[in-house]
Amino acid sequence: MTDFLLVYQGGDPNWAENTTPEQMQGVMEQWGAWFKQLEATGNLRNPGAALDSGGAVITKNNGRFKTDQSLPEVKELIGGFTVIAAESLSEATEVAKGTPFLEHNPEGKVLVRPVMQH
């Protein structure tokens, strides 16, 4: 089995602020059920986490570092991640289709990337 990183991209950065406690609980229950399903099938490696808003982008040019905390690339926002195991990219893609992220973020994307093995 190969590990694959699922990156949740393009979600609503203000989701937590615009969600009632009841809605939040319902969504967390969906994620919990999905993780239990992945655990039962042997696909779950690491449930990962949702990422908080804010952060910084660090680049290096001509030996100098530049730090940008304005994060203008909100459309590329990474909302969280999960690590799964699968036999192939095709299987990993099928597993990723079950994520609650896509149900709650119709404009969102899930990037499926194999983790390099040594």
Side-chain angles (χ1 to χ4, degrees), residues 28-106:
M28 292 300 112
E29 287 173 1
Q30 287 179 322
W31 278 97
W34 189 59
F35 290 142
K36 283 182 183 177
Q37 175 190 349
L38 294 179
E39 198 170 50
T41 59
N43 293 108
L44 185 64
R45 289 281 197 240
N46 182 333
L51 302 178
D52 206 350
S53 60
V57 176
I58 302 168
T59 55
K60 187 174 180 181
N61 190 3
N62 296 326
R64 299 187 64 181
F65 288 100
K66 177 184 175 191
T67 303
D68 181 2
Q69 294 182 337
S70 64
L71 296 175
E73 54 282 316
V74 170
K75 66 179 183 174
E76 299 297 324
L77 176 72
I78 296 173
F81 67 95
T82 300
V83 180
I84 64 168
E87 293 293 337
S88 64
L89 177 59
S90 178
E91 180 186 346
T93 302
E94 286 302 312
V95 170
K97 288 178 183 178
T99 176
F101 178 80
L102 293 173
E103 182 178 334
H104 298 284
N105 295 284

